[in-house]
């Protein structure tokens, strides 16, 4: 019964956003490693491999308490609202460069596309250095219950912010104005 419930939660999480764009067929076989298959132009350094976190490592990351503001955005490449809000987060990454604000994207895409679609997507969006992979198939109800007050994993995008003991959770697409407002509340 628990496995059926867990499967239902994961299915709802992964399919809550409507797939809005057609994806090009990719003939590259999916692997479980995180090395990329994207070829780099000769004058560019090789791309940094995307980091993979386990659910426990993700919990540890989310629980960091210090004077840095951690803004964590859970997304998937196929989620239209997720894609539309990424530029707002990128603007904040540039704005707060060198300051105690860390913006991280956590991809909940399936492992089958970790070496094909996800690297292409994060490179196109310019967020490779701020993206972490998390296998949504490993997440259960206790992961959500132990880490969040409001989010049950049923939909994305989801943004979690923490600075010290202060936290904020937002389910849904963020506008630039809303993101700016939420960040400013932490930086007063």
């Amino acid at each position: 019964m628990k496995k059926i419930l867990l499967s239902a939660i994961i299915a709802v999480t992964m399919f809550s956003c409507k797939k809005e764009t057609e994806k090009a067929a990719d003939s590259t076989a999916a692997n479980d490693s995180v090395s990329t298959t994207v070829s780099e132009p000769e004058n560019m350094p090789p791309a940094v491999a995307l980091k993979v976190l386990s659910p426990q490592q993700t919990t540890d990351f989310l629980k960091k308490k210090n004077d840095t503001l951690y803004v964590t955005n859970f997304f998937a490449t196929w989620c239209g609202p997720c894609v539309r809000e990424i530029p707002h987060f990128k603007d904040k990454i540039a704005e707060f460069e060198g300051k105690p604000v860390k913006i991280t994207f956590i991809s909940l895409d399936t492992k089958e596309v970790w070496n094909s679609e996800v690297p292409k997507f994060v490179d196109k969006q310019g967020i490779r250095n701020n993206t972490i992979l998390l296998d949504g198939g490993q997440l259960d109800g206790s992961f959500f219950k132990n880490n969040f007050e409001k989010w049950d994993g049923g939909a994305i995008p989801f943004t979690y912010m923490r600075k010290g003991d202060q936290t904020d959770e937002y389910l849904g697409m963020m506008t630039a104005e809303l993101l700016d407002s939420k960040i400013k509340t932490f930086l007063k």
Side-chain angles (χ1 to χ4, degrees):
M1 183 66 180
K2 286 183 181 180
K3 289 189 179 209
I4 293 171
L5 182 58
L6 173 61
S7 296
I9 289 172
I10 292 169
V12 168
T13 299
M14 300 311 292
F15 294 104
S16 62
C17 282
K18 182 179 177 189
K19 192 173 190 176
E20 295 185 0
T21 58
E22 291 296 318
K23 299 197 177 194
D26 186 65
S27 60
T28 307
N31 299 316
D32 277 347
S33 70
V34 293
S35 62
T36 62
T37 57
V38 178
S39 60
E40 298 292 327
E42 288 183 29
N43 60 345
M44 294 199 55
V48 176
L50 293 168
K51 184 176 182 179
V52 178
L53 291 185
S54 69
Q56 183 56 53
Q57 291 169 319
T58 303
T59 294
D60 295 342
F61 174 77
L62 294 170
K63 300 288 182 192
K64 285 185 181 181
K65 291 184 183 181
N66 54 38
D67 65 345
T68 297
L69 169 59
Y70 295 93
V71 179
T72 307
N73 179 263
F74 291 83
F75 80 102
T77 59
W78 46 263
C79 168
C82 301
V83 175
R84 286 192 299 276
E85 72 178 1
I86 287 174
H88 311 319
F89 288 90
K90 282 178 50 180
D91 290 345
K92 292 299 171 191
I93 290 170
E95 181 181 335
F96 291 109
E97 185 175 349
K99 295 184 178 150
V101 177
K102 180 170 177 54
I103 297 177
T104 305
F105 298 93
I106 297 186
S107 169
L108 296 175
D109 286 282
T110 61
K111 289 176 88 172
E112 291 78 25
V113 296
W114 282 4
N115 290 318
S116 56
E117 294 173 36
V118 176
K120 290 176 191 174
F121 177 85
V122 299
D123 288 342
K124 181 179 178 183
Q125 297 293 327
I127 59 171
R128 177 180 285 267
N129 293 334
N130 298 78
T131 302
I132 295 172
L133 301 172
L134 175 62
D135 183 2
Q138 293 183 6
L139 304 180
D140 59 14
S142 65
F143 172 81
F144 298 102
K145 184 178 177 183
N146 293 333
N147 289 299
F148 312 106
E149 290 181 21
K150 300 176 184 173
W151 191 40
D152 63 3
I156 53 176
F158 175 75
T159 303
Y160 180 77
M161 298 183 187
R162 172 184 286 282
K163 182 177 180 186
D165 289 325
Q166 183 183 1
T167 63
D168 183 80
E169 299 180 22
Y170 187 79
L171 180 61
M173 187 180 87
M174 286 240 201
T175 63
E177 297 78 18
L178 180 60
L179 179 60
D180 188 55
S181 170
K182 288 185 172 290
I183 288 175
K184 282 181 180 176
T185 354
F186 282 92
L187 301 179
K188 291 181 188 176

